[in-house]
Amino acid sequence: NMSSLQQPESYSSKPGSAFKATSLTDTDLKNYSGPLVPLSDIQNGCLSDIIFSKFYMTHHSEAQELASETGYTPQPEAVLAEALRTCLMKYNKETSLRLNLVFFSEAVRHAARLSRVLAHPRGHALLLGLSYATGRATLAKLAAFVAKCKMFELKRQTLPTHNLSMVHKYIKQSSFHAGIQGKPTVLLVHADIGEECLQDISAIMTEGTAPGVYTEEDFQNIISQMMPGGVHTKRVDKMQLAFDRFVKRIQQNLHVLVCLNYRGNRYSSNWQAFHHKLQKHPNLIKNSWSIDVYLPWSHRALSQVARTWLEDTTSGVLIPWSPQRTSEQIEMASNGMAYIHFSAQAAVERLYYHQMEPLQMFTPLTFMEFVHLFKIIAAFLAQTEKAKGGKFEKALAKIDEAFGSIAEYKRKVSDLVPQSSSAGGVINDLVTQVDNLKQSYRQ
């Protein structure tokens, strides 16, 4: 019986649509036209080279004035990276806080996972990192913008005692936006906010609310907002129904992205503390659509970031590369900087591997500062040497002018030599005549 076959949700008749995870009917089988990715598209490549994402290609197609695809579309990595660059340009034009991103292979795949999380109700994600400044928050901001979600960013406070109050504040604000206004919302939770705060974050991911977040005044405000026409009521059953609608809308519209760090480095790691934290809050894993691990940037990623920054001319810091060898010089410089950073980090981690802590002196942020510092120093040295060259050129010009004057004087002198010789002959003749006249006078 063909109707009893189970069809996975990921199979569909066309990109952007999927069958439900139930038994297929004869109509479903009739409409089914094959997998999302035809075999002909992957015969000459690898299946992992095709990345499924949402939202990015729509913005890219609109910017290119092409027919937009609104579904869940597969694209090669290079095409998706170009779409991400288009989305980044749009983000920087429409927001006051600019983002500087380089979409190397790992970054493209992280962004695709975030888009898939934000495309579904109850879509939450756990973003794990071994080092600092790996781009989790930056990619989340771009993904939220492209998915038309409002971002609420919860950071660790200077005083640990203030963390819980800030967690309640941001949960309340994001819940009001998602529940009362019914708009897509992203709550980005940074790492190291405290164990007691993770309990509330876990609760909001599971149930759409957390204990102790709302005061009696907040509760009454929610009820009045959720009641039809804003009518006030004192009936407990209607109040409960209104609050249940509020919580349901939160679950449909709120996406929680939790950043967590685990201690260790590439030579040793201490997973016990991290496992203990997840065992205390298992709902962080249970309710996450994606558990994405942001590993330290590879040598290839570092080289690509350096190359992009060295080729950038919008910063105003220009390096005078050789016109005939610009591409070659940039390639050599970017590979060299990546090797310096990578090898220095490996040497220090081998020396202090027992500390089980990410080294803040070797993060992607410090590497970008290294590249920026290289550009500034190179531009300064080039400007200094150019100024020195200008002074030398002026000195040489004056020397050339002096030599030119000397040559002119020599030419004039050489022109006057025949005249001097002729005048000397005339003088000699005149002296001879004078002498002759003297002799004749004496006689």
Side-chain angles (χ1 to χ4, degrees), residues 35-43 50:
L36 283 173
V37 182
L39 182 61
S40 58
D41 292 349
I42 59 175
Q43 285 180 341
I50 300 176

Side-chain angles (χ1 to χ4, degrees), residues 335-364:
N335 288 334
M337 285 187 284
Y339 175 76
I340 291 172
H341 180 87
F342 207 73
S343 59
Q345 180 182 2
V348 174
E349 285 184 346
R350 283 196 301 267
L351 187 62
Y352 297 100
Y353 72 94
H354 56 278
Q355 291 187 0
M356 303 295 182
E357 288 287 347
L359 298 173
Q360 298 192 31
M361 68 183 76
F362 291 107
T363 66

Side-chain angles (χ1 to χ4, degrees), residues 235-269:
R235 292 183 55 179
V236 177
D237 55 342
K238 290 187 176 181
M239 294 172 66
Q240 187 61 44
L241 288 175
F243 189 78
D244 290 343
R245 285 197 300 271
F246 171 72
V247 172
K248 186 175 181 179
R249 292 177 74 176
I250 291 174
Q251 293 175 329
Q252 293 292 318
N253 296 310
L254 180 62
H255 306 278
V256 182
L257 308 179
V258 182
C259 300
L260 289 179
N261 294 331
Y262 55 91
R263 295 183 178 182
N265 51 54
R266 72 186 68 198
Y267 296 102
S268 62
S269 59

Side-chain angles (χ1 to χ4, degrees), residues 285-358:
I285 296 179
K286 180 181 177 181
N287 295 287
S288 294
W289 280 59
S290 173
I291 301 176
D292 200 3
V293 180
Y294 286 68
L295 296 173
W297 289 3
S298 62
H299 181 276
R300 179 182 176 186
L302 293 172
S303 178
Q304 187 172 348
V305 169
R307 187 184 311 111
T308 303
W309 277 48
L310 292 177
E311 292 174 348
D312 180 36
T313 58
T314 60
S315 62
V317 182
L318 301 179
I319 301 176
W321 305 102
S322 172
Q324 293 80 17
R325 302 178 58 195
T326 300
S327 178
E328 180 184 354
Q329 289 179 343
I330 291 177
E331 183 72 19
M332 294 171 62
S334 59
N335 288 334
M337 285 187 284
Y339 175 76
I340 291 172
H341 180 87
F342 207 73
S343 59
Q345 180 182 2
V348 174
E349 285 184 346
R350 283 196 301 267
L351 187 62
Y352 297 100
Y353 72 94
H354 56 278
Q355 291 187 0
M356 303 295 182
E357 288 287 347

